[in-house]
Every structure is written in C-alpha cells, then in structure tokens.
Amino acid sequence: MFKNNDFIYIEYTARIKDTGEIVDTTNEEEAKKANIYDETRTYGPRLVILGENRLIKGLEEALYNFNLNEEKTIEIPPEKAYGERDNSKIKIVPLGELRRQGITPVPNNVLRLSDGSLAVIRSVSGGRVVLDLNHPLAGRTLMYNVKVVKVLDNAKDKVMALIERRFSSKYASGFNVELDDGKKSVRITIPKDLYLVEDLQINVYSLAYEIVSYVLADYTVEILQQYTKSTFSSS
C-alpha cells in the first residue's frame, strides 16, 4: 500500500474497453505493434509521484492500493479518465480559415489549434470543417494493465529521478548531487552540456520546486553552474 509523495515506477498498457484498441503503453514493442509508436518518447517504466496528479484520476487512485511487483487490470470509467463527451465542444469553422493558417484538414486527423488545444477533424464538406474539441478518449471506459516495478526510498535517488524526468537520461548522469543532512541542504551541479539549452532556468526553478515539494521539504536547494577557462575553450 502506498501513500502521498511515494515515488514508484510503473509499467502499463491502456486499452479502450469496447474495442480492445491499445491507446497508450510504456512498452516500446507494444507501441509499435499498435501503430502508436512515438519516436520522441522514452519508453520503459514511468515515474509516478503519488499525489502529484499527473495521471488520470482513476489510475492514480488505484495505485495507492498496489504493492511492489503487484500487477492488476483496472477498469476506469470516463468520469475518472477523460470525461464524458460534451456536444458543446463540437465546432464548425470555415475551411478558408484553416487554410490561411497553412492547414489542410483531413477527416479523423488530430489538429492543434492556435490556442494550443487539440481537435479531431470530424468532417470536411461544403467549405466547412467540423471540429471535435473533446479529448479523443472522452466518453470511453479504459482498461489499464499495470505493474509496480520499482519503489524509491532514498532521498538522493528521488532527486536523481526528478532530474532524469525533467532533463532526460541523456543528461542526468552528468549532474552531481550532494546532500548535507546537517545543514539541511542539497547542492546540485548542472553539466555544462545544458548551459545553453533553451528554458534552462525555467526547468531549474521547476526542479527545485519538485525537490522541496516531494522530497526534502525543509531543505535548501542550491543549483550551480560552474565556469572555468576550459568551459569556454571546449565549447
């Protein structure tokens, strides 16, 4: 049984109950078989911090009642997944408006609108395009096959997990993390490969927030960038 702020890693495959269609998975081979493979995504066990609310409600609620290495199949109704369908979210827009944005609408394609929201193109006819702004899985009951494969207990391991989630495994090994329990501080040195990465400071701020929120509430977080002559000569 788990509690708020526990760090667990899960493997899962999610299907639509009515059709058996796989809509999400942490397994790379399953994703390829289901034609939902995303080359920009890292497959494998997913970090979950209970209470962080990054998962759909029904899945996160169920995870509290798991144990390490336990595997279950969970049925999640729409109200605890992506909500019921809402007919007020069906919009009709002029075809010309989309074409002016450089968009050629094709039925059943998913379109990202100018405000960042997603819409499914339901039909294109007579100069009009019917857009469905409901989540593609709205109104669907989902079946999740889930297994908890790892639990983190050590504070340093949790900090490293947060670093890997925010900066990817490509960079995580280059971070140096020092915990001083006497001074109640954690010092993190950023690898120089990240110094010029866009939005670095936003990610650093967010990392510090996650550390004090979920791992070391009464610690001071120091995040350092170190510069020497070699930093510039080797760049």
Side-chain angles (χ1 to χ4, degrees):
M1 302 284 285
F2 298 116
K3 61 186 183 304
N4 274 349
N5 292 356
D6 278 350
F7 279 52
I8 65 177
Y9 283 82
I10 64 172
E11 295 175 341
Y12 65 81
T13 294
R15 293 176 168 83
I16 297 173
K17 181 180 180 181
D18 293 342
T19 66
E21 175 189 358
I22 293 177
V23 292
D24 191 14
T25 182
T26 56
N27 185 296
E28 184 172 350
E29 292 306 313
E30 288 281 1
K32 289 177 178 177
K33 290 178 185 177
N35 293 318
I36 60 170
Y37 177 72
D38 181 354
E39 61 183 13
T40 66
R41 175 178 172 179
T42 300
Y43 288 86
R46 175 177 174 178
L47 172 65
V48 175
I49 305 170
L50 290 174
E52 191 181 21
N53 301 318
R54 285 198 177 199
L55 301 176
I56 59 173
K57 184 177 181 180
L59 176 56
E60 184 164 17
E61 286 181 350
L63 287 172
Y64 285 89
N65 297 312
F66 273 69
N67 294 298
L68 178 61
N69 296 320
E70 186 171 16
E71 184 173 3
K72 298 180 185 178
T73 298
I74 305 162
E75 181 173 325
I76 303 176
E79 62 269 21
K80 290 195 174 184
Y82 295 98
E84 299 288 357
R85 287 190 56 77
D86 181 354
N87 289 333
S88 70
K89 292 183 177 181
I90 306 296
K91 307 292 184 184
I92 299 175
V93 299
L95 174 59
E97 180 180 323
L98 296 179
R99 285 182 171 167
R100 282 192 293 273
Q101 298 177 39
I103 299 169
T104 301
V106 177
N108 298 318
N109 279 6
V110 177
L111 173 67
R112 184 174 294 278
L113 303 178
S114 57
D115 63 359
S117 61
L118 299 177
V120 177
I121 300 169
R122 293 302 181 193
S123 66
V124 181
S125 177
R128 301 190 306 172
V129 180
V130 177
L131 299 180
D132 185 350
L133 279 72
N134 286 284
H135 189 282
L137 295 175
R140 299 284 197 166
T141 296
L142 303 179
M143 303 297 295
Y144 271 80
N145 181 257
V146 188
K147 183 176 182 179
V148 177
V149 297
K150 186 177 181 181
V151 179
L152 299 184
D153 296 314
N154 179 274
K156 186 172 181 178
D157 289 342
K158 292 179 180 181
V159 171
M160 288 303 302
L162 290 172
I163 290 171
E164 182 171 351
R165 184 176 72 173
R166 184 153 293 280
F167 293 98
S168 83
S169 56
K170 175 183 177 181
Y171 296 108
S173 61
F175 280 75
N176 183 56
V177 177
E178 300 174 33
L179 266 67
D180 188 327
D181 293 326
K183 295 182 178 179
K184 288 191 175 297
S185 68
V186 53
R187 174 176 291 189
I188 300 169
T189 304
I190 300 173
K192 65 181 181 179
D193 291 349
L194 282 174
Y195 288 2
L196 299 178
V197 169
E198 186 178 1
D199 295 331
L200 174 61
Q201 294 309 312
I202 293 174
N203 280 295
V204 164
Y205 179 89
S206 299
L207 174 63
Y209 170 81
E210 291 167 350
I211 291 170
V212 298
S213 296
Y214 304 117
V215 188
L216 300 166
D218 54 349
Y219 278 54
T220 298
V221 179
E222 300 177 47
I223 302 182
L224 310 176
Q225 293 174 240
Q226 297 179 338
Y227 295 90
T228 64
K229 187 175 182 179
S230 64
T231 303
F232 304 100
S233 61
S234 62
S235 61

